[in-house]
Amino acid sequence: MQKRKSIGDIVLFAVTLVLAVVFFFPIYFNLMSAFKSNPEIMRDAIAFPKSFYVDSFKYLLTETDFPRAIVNSVLLTGLSILFMVLVIPMAGYAIERSNAKWTGAVFVYFLAGMMIPFQAYMIPLFKELKMFGLYGNLVGPIVIYISGSVGFGSLLYTSFLKGVPREIEESAAIDGCSRYAIFFRIVFPLLGPCTASMVVLNGLGIWNDFLMPMLVLPSDQPKTMIVEIFYFVGELSSRWDMIFAGTALSIVPVLILFVLLQRYFVKGIATGAIKG
């Protein structure tokens, strides 16, 4: 029995290792190609770079609109996540802790929004943005990202809040804390793993989003990093050195964020799944 279990562990480890290599290879290939010139990439894409070529990074950061695109990506992602963290936890808390009948209907309404594909309401949404004067600036996509994350965020927080004892809040209420003080001083700090999960999942989606910035932001101005990278892809030829360099610059912040929040992200997903 012990031997059979050991063989199973070895097989499971081998499969996990193979999957890890498969998923890591595109990142490795991109980072390796980012330090090659365009002719070198075209000549042998999988070979190691012969020299530490950084001219593509210099060109991107000094001769193009990529620095402005970096600022747009940071603002778009950072502001969206900030308002999500301020709004969605309160929505999940109100749904989970309220005994009113209408909260169940609101929760179902939020979840129903997750079932409608973006392409189904894309054109009416853009018309609505133009009607409210939000088309052509960063405010429009920020509002869309926040509203689009309410359904999943509410589901995540309500599942997590089921494991937070109500007695803690009742004790704070007896001590004279208001409803807002109970949430922000006592409940919200306990939601750290859940918040980290939401930040990682939504942050990755917003940072890597192509369609929304491409369609909403002005065509004559710098957009986001992902969109600016796309402009180096031509119909007859492509600047692969610029593409890989730009992609490498966009990958680094994501890797840093995930490494910093990995422990809380895994804990939040596991806890939410068990309690949900």
Side-chain angles (χ1 to χ4, degrees):
M1 183 67 181
Q2 185 67 27
K3 183 178 180 180
R4 184 181 303 176
K5 184 178 179 181
S6 301
I7 295 176
D9 292 340
I10 294 174
V11 172
L12 181 60
F13 176 78
V15 172
T16 305
L17 182 62
V18 171
L19 291 176
V21 171
V22 170
F23 280 99
F24 179 75
F25 180 77
I27 300 176
Y28 163 76
F29 177 75
N30 181 90
L31 296 178
M32 179 182 63
S33 301
F35 297 99
K36 294 180 180 179
S37 62
N38 201 56
E40 190 177 356
I41 295 173
M42 299 298 295
R43 184 168 54 251
D44 193 349
I46 62 174
F48 287 99
K50 296 181 179 180
S51 61
F52 199 67
Y53 185 80
V54 295
D55 288 351
S56 52
F57 291 96
K58 294 179 181 178
Y59 183 83
L60 273 178
L61 298 176
T62 59
E63 304 295 333
T64 68
D65 293 326
F66 205 74
R68 176 68 182 278
I70 295 175
V71 174
N72 288 343
S73 294
V74 172
L75 289 176
L76 193 62
T77 306
L79 292 176
S80 299
I81 294 299
L82 175 63
F83 285 105
M84 287 178 191
V85 173
L86 290 176
V87 174
I88 297 178
M90 290 190 289
Y93 178 75
I95 291 173
E96 173 60 26
R97 291 298 193 252
S98 178
N99 296 322
K101 296 181 180 179
W102 58 269
T103 55
V106 171
F107 186 52
V108 173
Y109 175 76
F110 287 161
L111 296 182
M114 299 173 57
M115 305 177 188
I116 304 175
F118 174 74
Q119 291 76 10
Y121 59 86
M122 179 174 64
I123 296 177
L125 181 63
F126 292 153
K127 290 183 177 180
E128 187 176 3
L129 289 177
K130 288 185 176 181
M131 182 175 64
F132 287 103
L134 300 177
Y135 189 86
N137 55 69
L138 292 177
V139 179
I142 288 175
V143 173
I144 294 175
Y145 287 137
I146 295 172
S147 58
S149 64
V150 171
F152 175 76
S154 299
L155 177 63
L156 193 64
Y157 277 102
T158 51
S159 300
F160 195 90
L161 280 165
K162 291 178 181 178
V164 177
R166 292 175 180 262
E167 289 77 9
I168 300 176
E169 303 167 41
E170 294 172 355
S171 300
I174 294 174
D175 291 337
C177 289
S178 64
R179 192 71 178 270
Y180 290 99
I182 292 174
F183 176 75
F184 285 107
R185 294 183 181 180
I186 298 175
V187 178
F188 186 72
L190 299 176
L191 302 177
C194 186
T195 302
S197 300
M198 188 184 69
V199 168
V200 171
L201 292 175
N202 287 290
L204 288 177
I206 297 171
W207 184 267
N208 294 320
D209 190 20
F210 172 81
L211 183 60
M212 183 69 66
M214 181 70 178
L215 298 178
V216 175
L217 299 181
S219 58
D220 59 339
Q221 297 181 16
K223 300 192 177 184
T224 59
M225 298 175 68
I226 303 301
V227 178
E228 291 298 320
I229 292 172
F230 172 74
Y231 290 150
F232 290 103
V233 180
E235 183 177 354
L236 300 177
S237 62
S238 301
R239 289 295 306 273
W240 292 108
D241 53 343
M242 299 298 169
I243 295 172
F244 285 120
T247 307
L249 290 175
S250 68
I251 288 176
V252 171
V254 173
L255 290 178
I256 294 175
L257 178 65
F258 185 78
V259 169
L260 293 176
L261 299 179
Q262 180 183 12
R263 181 179 60 179
Y264 303 101
F265 170 72
V266 174
K267 182 179 179 181
I269 292 295
T271 307
I274 294 172
K275 295 173 182 175

